[in-house]
């Protein structure tokens, strides 16, 4: 084996996490990264089944590879991720030049599948259960100072718009000791910020019993354990389910120094009728009550959310309820999407699909409201000094970083990624702040990101 590999990632943080493992595995097998399809020996699409038209996009991309494959039969074409798990054998029916189809639970066997495809022809592994946690595989991270850490995979809920239970299976959690050991190793490599990943991160541990205690592991315990890892200065997590939030998690967030003052708290809809149809097990009042409790315990916390507009059966009254919750909750940011039918999900076959133009008009009203609130929230920070962790280049000669509250800040000049800067905020925009350095607080160690090492 060996040669160049080109990896394209679609979708969520879980896929980014898995792509770091795919890259790490390929490099441990002697492949080197390349951006040029023409010289690559392996081309991998790590696919997402959530976005609208995801499959059309995949087959379009695969179509572009066909002439390349005809010119170079030794080129290996790999389809990984959620669409691989969902479409399985259909992928080769539609694109017979694909060599390997590897599902979300089968990543550890990727090198073996590639090798076998060279001698035995096309290979497919779409097994139903995870045997080796992806986090336990070698990884090639894109940045030195931040790492995704998968704490659980799969989900036991059944939200009617979501494909995750189908493609990622039931929840499986990693032992706390394994997660902490991984974070300790990351800290030794210079990582200063970790994001704990789980499809429903706050049900972490419900499938794990704590040895000798007769009870399940708890997400709050995990948070406290990761908070205590020397060298880690910021701990984030995503995505919690509002129904599964518990007081001990709020206490841990309030008490632990390194857990960032930001929570992503997916609302999806402000209408109880729509929440019921979505199989979301909280109601808008309970959602807002929890938000109140979280804000009372952590007063400067930033709150972001997801909202789906135009879910089947959503009436103007339902939509008005969403607007009302958005007004009351005053989110810092909201990731708003127009509902689209995702094959394989229960909602795709529900009657009363909302006409596209109605969805668009509601969507525009929601975005206008949220943009105004976001700008007001950002404006509250003008004149304040915030701690920024620099991530990389921004626009027009600036660098870009994030506050502990996950707000993007643009700073002038050249500052190395991984540097903590105290910055004074000089202007606010709906999606970012502009600041000027008030002092460099600390330099993060600069170890190599290439050292082999994860939607509620
Ligand atoms: S939206 Fe989140 S909680 Fe619901 S099924 Fe999908 S992953 Fe699970």
């Amino acid at each position: 084996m060996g040669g160049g590999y080109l990896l394209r990632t679609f979708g969520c943080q879980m896929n980014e996490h898995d792509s770091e493992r795919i890259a790490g595995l390929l490099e441990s097998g002697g492949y080197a990264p390349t951006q040029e399809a023409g010289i690559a020996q392996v081309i991998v699409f790590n696919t997402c089944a959530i976005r609208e038209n995801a499959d059309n996009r995949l087959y379009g991309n695969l179509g572009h590879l066909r002439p390349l494959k005809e010119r170079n039969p030794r080129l290996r074409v790999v389809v990984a991720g959620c669409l691989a798990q969902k479409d399985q054998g259909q992928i080769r029916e539609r694109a017979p030049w694909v060599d390997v189809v590897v599902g979300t639970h089968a990543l550890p066997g990727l090198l073996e599948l590639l090798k076998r495809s060279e001698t035995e022809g096309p290979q497919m592994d779409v097994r139903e259960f995870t045997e080796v946690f992806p986090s336990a595989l070698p990884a090639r991270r894109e940045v030195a100072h931040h790492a995704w850490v998968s704490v659980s995979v799969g989900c036991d809920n059944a939200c009617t718009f979501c494909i995750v239970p189908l493609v990622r299976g039931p929840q499986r959690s990693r032992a706390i000791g394994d997660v902490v050991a991984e974070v300790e190793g990351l800290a030794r490599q210079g990582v200063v910020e970790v994001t704990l990943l789980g499809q429903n991160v706050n049900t972490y541990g419900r499938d794990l019993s704590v040895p000798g205690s007769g009870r399940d592991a708890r997400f709050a315990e995990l948070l406290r354990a990761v908070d205590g890892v020397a060298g880690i200065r910021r701990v984030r997590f995503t995505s919690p389910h509002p129904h599964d939030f518990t007081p001990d998690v709020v206490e841990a967030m309030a008490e632990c120094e390194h857990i960032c003052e930001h929570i992503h708290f997916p609302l999806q809809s402000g209408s109880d009728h729509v929440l019921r149809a979505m199989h979301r097990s909280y109601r808008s009042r309970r959602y807002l009550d929890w938000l109140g409790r979280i804000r009372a315990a952590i007063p400067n916390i930033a709150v972001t959310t997801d909202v789906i507009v135009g879910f089947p059966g959503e009436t103007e009254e339902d939509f008005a309820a969403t607007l009302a919750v958005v007004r009351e909750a005053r989110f810092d940011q909201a990731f708003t999407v127009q509902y689209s039918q995702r094959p394989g999900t229960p909602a795709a076959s529900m009657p009363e699909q909302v006409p596209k133009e109605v969805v668009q008009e509601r969507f525009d009203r929601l975005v206008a409201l949220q943009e105004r609130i976001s700008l007001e929230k950002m404006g509250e920070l003008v004149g304040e000094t915030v701690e920024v962790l620099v991530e990389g280049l921004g626009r027009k000669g600036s660098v870009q970083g994030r506050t502990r509250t996950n707000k993007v800040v643009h700073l002038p000049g050249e500052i190395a990624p991984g540097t903590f800067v105290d910055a004074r905020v000089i202007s606010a925009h709906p999606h970012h702040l502009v600041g000027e350095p008030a002092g460099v607080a600390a330099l993060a160690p600069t170890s190599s990101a290439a050292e082999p090492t994860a939607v509620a």
Side-chain angles (χ1 to χ4, degrees), residues 155 157-159 161-162 164-165 199-200 241 280 455-456:
C155 180
N157 288 331
C159 303
F161 55 81
C162 183
V164 164
Q199 256 107 17
N200 189 5
H241 191 299
R280 302 287 286 182
V455 280

Side-chain angles (χ1 to χ4, degrees), residues 271-301:
S271 153
D272 290 351
H273 155 247
V274 173
L275 288 170
R276 217 172 284 121
M278 289 175 165
H279 281 190
R280 302 287 286 182
S281 43
Y282 52 88
R283 299 293 169 256
S284 55
R285 197 64 258 161
R286 180 186 155 106
Y287 178 95
L288 288 166
D289 287 350
W290 266 108
L291 211 50
R293 286 203 226 178
I294 294 167
R295 281 183 166 141
I298 311 158
N300 56 344
I301 195 165

Side-chain angles (χ1 to χ4, degrees), residues 61-375:
N61 281 319
L62 288 173
H64 290 135
L65 290 187
R66 187 177 195 166
L68 217 56
K69 177 78 181 172
E70 283 166 357
R71 281 201 300 277
N72 175 15
R74 295 203 58 202
L75 169 67
R76 302 290 93 183
V77 178
V78 180
V79 178
C82 296
L83 267 178
Q85 192 73 34
K86 182 170 112 14
D87 283 4
Q88 306 192 355
Q90 282 177 41
I91 291 176
R92 269 196 45 84
E93 278 167 29
R94 292 181 66 175
W97 53 96
V98 169
D99 298 284
V100 175
V101 176
V102 56
T104 52
H105 306 289
L107 280 186
L110 175 61
L111 289 178
E112 185 58 31
L113 291 167
L114 275 172
K115 205 162 135 197
R116 288 218 308 263
S117 73
E118 285 171 7
T119 52
E120 299 170 21
Q123 300 289 316
M124 181 167 78
D125 187 342
V126 287
R127 67 188 64 197
E128 295 293 324
F129 293 101
T130 298
E131 282 151 28
V132 178
F133 244 91
S135 280
L137 303 173
R140 180 193 189 279
R141 297 192 323 278
E142 288 299 318
V143 292
H145 63 274
H146 172 267
W148 305 106
V149 176
S150 154
V151 304
S152 63
V153 290
C155 180
D156 295 332
N157 288 331
C159 303
T160 52
F161 55 81
C162 183
I163 196 81
V164 164
L166 183 73
V167 293
R168 298 271 178 176
Q171 176 172 291
R172 280 199 55 199
S173 303
R174 288 171 86 191
I176 289 186
D178 289 356
V179 176
V180 171
E182 181 182 347
V183 175
E184 286 170 344
L186 291 166
R188 284 195 292 276
Q189 293 168 24
V191 168
V192 290
E193 180 182 65
V194 290
T195 305
L196 307 181
L197 278 182
Q199 256 107 17
N200 189 5
V201 74
N202 52 334
T203 52
Y204 165 84
R206 287 192 187 167
D207 52 321
L208 274 185
S209 56
V210 177
S213 75
R215 63 168 177 79
D216 295 344
R218 296 192 183 119
F219 184 54
E221 287 172 76
L222 179 74
L223 285 177
R224 289 181 188 276
V226 173
D227 178 68
V229 174
I232 298 296
R233 291 181 51 177
R234 291 183 174 188
V235 179
R236 304 185 184 279
F237 60 88
T238 198
S239 287
H241 191 299
H243 174 75
D244 298 311
F245 230 75
T246 48
D248 57 340
V249 170
V250 183
E251 276 162 31
M253 291 179 71
E255 288 167 17
C256 293
E257 181 188 350
H258 303 113
I259 298 180
C260 290
E261 296 80 12
H262 166 235
I263 188 162
H264 187 67
F265 209 54
L267 170 66
Q268 309 301 6
S269 171
S271 153
D272 290 351
H273 155 247
V274 173
L275 288 170
R276 217 172 284 121
M278 289 175 165
H279 281 190
R280 302 287 286 182
S281 43
Y282 52 88
R283 299 293 169 256
S284 55
R285 197 64 258 161
R286 180 186 155 106
Y287 178 95
L288 288 166
D289 287 350
W290 266 108
L291 211 50
R293 286 203 226 178
I294 294 167
R295 281 183 166 141
I298 311 158
N300 56 344
I301 195 165
V303 182
T304 55
T305 199
D306 298 321
V307 182
I308 298 173
V309 179
F311 189 79
E314 182 191 79
T315 62
E316 183 55 34
E317 198 186 329
D318 293 319
F319 180 66
T322 296
L323 292 179
V325 174
V326 168
R327 262 186 225 107
E328 185 171 345
R330 291 185 59 75
F331 300 112
D332 291 79
Q333 299 285 335
F335 301 92
T336 46
V337 293
Q338 301 184 23
Y339 174 77
S340 65
Q341 284 167 292
R342 292 161 188 167
T345 61
S349 54
M350 285 180 178
E352 302 180 281
Q353 301 282 330
V354 183
K356 177 94 185 100
E357 59 282 6
V358 176
V359 178
Q360 182 71 51
E361 190 273 334
R362 289 179 189 164
F363 179 80
D364 292 344
R365 274 190 280 157
L366 174 63
V367 169
L369 171 64
Q370 182 56 47
E371 294 273 299
R372 184 170 54 72
I373 296 170
S374 293
L375 184 57

Side-chain angles (χ1 to χ4, degrees), residues 6-23 43-49 58 78-84 102-104 107 168:
L6 190 155
L7 170 59
R8 288 198 58 197
T9 307
F10 303 86
C12 66
Q13 293 100 335
M14 196 59 90
N15 267 17
E16 285 183 36
H17 167 274
D18 286 355
S19 279
E20 291 182 347
R21 271 70 199 170
I22 292 171
I43 297 180
V44 184
F45 292 118
N46 190 15
T47 61
C48 167
L58 170 67
V78 180
V79 178
C82 296
L83 267 178
V102 56
T104 52
L107 280 186
R168 298 271 178 176

